[in-house]
Amino acid sequence: MADLNIQNLTKKYGQVVALNDVTLSIGSGEIVGLLGPNGAGKSTLLKIIVGILRPTSGSVVLDGIDVLKNPESAKRIIGYLPENAALYTGLTVTEFLQFVGKIRAVADSDLDSKISEALKAFDIEEKKNSLVGSLSKGTKQKVAIIASTLHEPRFLVLDEPLSGLDPKTQRFVNHWISSTAEKGVTVFLSTHNLDIAQDYASKIAIIDRGKIAAVGELNSLRKIANAKYDAKLDDVFLKLTSESS
Ligand code: ADP
Ligand code: MG
């Protein structure tokens, strides 16, 4: 279990204010969906949380660990799936996962069994000796997800995990996300898939031009947006972001 507290986070890239005083907290075991138009600051926020980008100001505390002061300790309990995961295309799936497992300090005695269990769970056992570069987009994404979780993180950060996937693989990844959360892993994911956010997330954060426009369950977002009691999330989303203008 892991909880996250983000306070007054600001990130400037030169003149561009990518995040503007973001404050947000996520409870242990929650699935929180981060929604926002392109360029809203989603990837920037997630990169700061996982400790690969430094904010201009503000703090991020994960499970009592200050991510900015102790990035190494924080990284041990975090799994991160980047927006466009770069995989080593010249390695086989097994070689790549062994490499990641070693970097992540997974015990040698456990590594092979963990890899074969994961390949089975993701239904890609038959690809174990295929070169990563030869895989379909969906299989690559499954390998990237396995790579991000081999060290059994308690906190998962997924940047648009469904993007570019066919419907069957999307459904697979969705089920995997919800069953991972059921095991007690906290999940923070950015997505453009409003159905998924509506169906799986315990809470939704809407970010627009670097600011959190609203946070809550769908019902409270409907109220904030002055939307009808049965409004779908996409209507609420459009009301709360600049996409409506
Ligand atoms: P999102 O993931 O929501 O699409 P990003 O976090 O990628 O948004 O980008 C937020 C803003 O910061 C955008 O205006 C983007 O152009 C800018 N930005 C992102 N990364 C950089 C960078 N490395 N250098 C300069 N500007 C950046
Ligand atoms: Mg992004």
Side-chain angles (χ1 to χ4, degrees):
M1 295 292 228
D3 64 339
L4 178 77
N5 282 293
I6 300 166
Q7 288 221 332
N8 306 108
L9 209 60
T10 292
K11 174 68 186 178
K12 295 179 187 163
Y13 297 107
Q15 301 290 324
V16 178
V17 182
L19 295 177
N20 187 350
D21 201 27
V22 168
T23 293
L24 180 68
S25 52
I26 295 180
S28 248
E30 279 198 279
I31 302 183
V32 177
L34 179 65
L35 267 60
N38 290 324
K42 302 180 297 295
S43 295
T44 299
L45 177 58
L46 300 182
K47 283 178 194 165
I48 293 171
I49 293 169
V50 303
I52 62 173
L53 194 64
R54 291 196 74 80
T56 307
S57 56
S59 70
V60 180
V61 177
L62 176 64
D63 231 11
I65 302 168
D66 186 322
V67 175
L68 305 174
K69 290 187 185 139
N70 296 304
E72 301 294 322
S73 318
K75 278 176 191 167
R76 260 177 236 131
I77 60 168
I78 296 176
Y80 170 52
L81 180 77
E83 193 167 14
N84 297 301
L87 307 178
Y88 290 88
T89 52
L91 298 182
T92 67
V93 169
T94 302
E95 287 166 344
F96 171 66
L97 292 173
Q98 283 170 337
F99 170 73
V100 171
K102 288 195 163 74
I103 290 179
R104 282 303 203 162
V106 177
D108 277 346
S109 52
D110 294 348
L111 187 53
D112 286 341
S113 61
K114 273 199 175 149
I115 291 172
S116 58
E117 273 165 33
L119 293 175
K120 203 181 287 176
F122 280 81
D123 202 19
I124 52 170
E125 271 172 306
E126 76 284 3
K127 301 290 182 194
K128 66 181 179 189
N129 296 319
S130 302
L131 288 178
V132 170
S134 73
L135 303 174
S136 68
K137 165 95 190 167
T139 306
K140 268 190 193 137
Q141 187 73 331
K142 287 181 175 181
V143 172
I145 291 172
I146 294 171
S148 69
T149 52
L150 269 181
H151 61 299
E152 298 182 30
R154 284 182 277 150
F155 191 87
L156 255 187
V157 174
L158 309 172
D159 198 352
E160 298 195 26
L162 306 172
S163 112
L165 302 182
D166 63 62
K168 186 170 170 230
T169 313
Q170 284 202 15
R171 190 183 305 164
F172 181 93
V173 172
N174 275 323
H175 284 147
W176 175 82
I177 292 169
S178 72
S179 70
T180 301
E182 276 166 18
K183 289 176 196 145
V185 176
T186 309
V187 182
F188 190 28
L189 80 157
S190 73
T191 183
H192 288 296
N193 190 320
L194 300 169
D195 291 337
I196 273 63
Q198 180 160 337
D199 293 347
Y200 288 86
S202 46
K203 197 160 87 178
I204 294 156
I206 295 182
I207 185 168
D208 190 28
R209 288 175 286 194
K211 274 191 165 297
I212 298 289
V215 189
E217 293 172 12
L218 180 56
N219 260 335
S220 60
L221 295 185
R222 284 184 179 122
K223 284 187 192 131
I224 294 168
N226 279 323
K228 282 192 291 193
Y229 72 95
D230 60 349
K232 292 196 60 154
L233 181 57
D234 48 359
D235 295 325
V236 174
F237 176 76
L238 290 172
K239 275 180 186 266
L240 289 171
T241 66
S242 50
E243 299 226 318
S244 56
S245 54

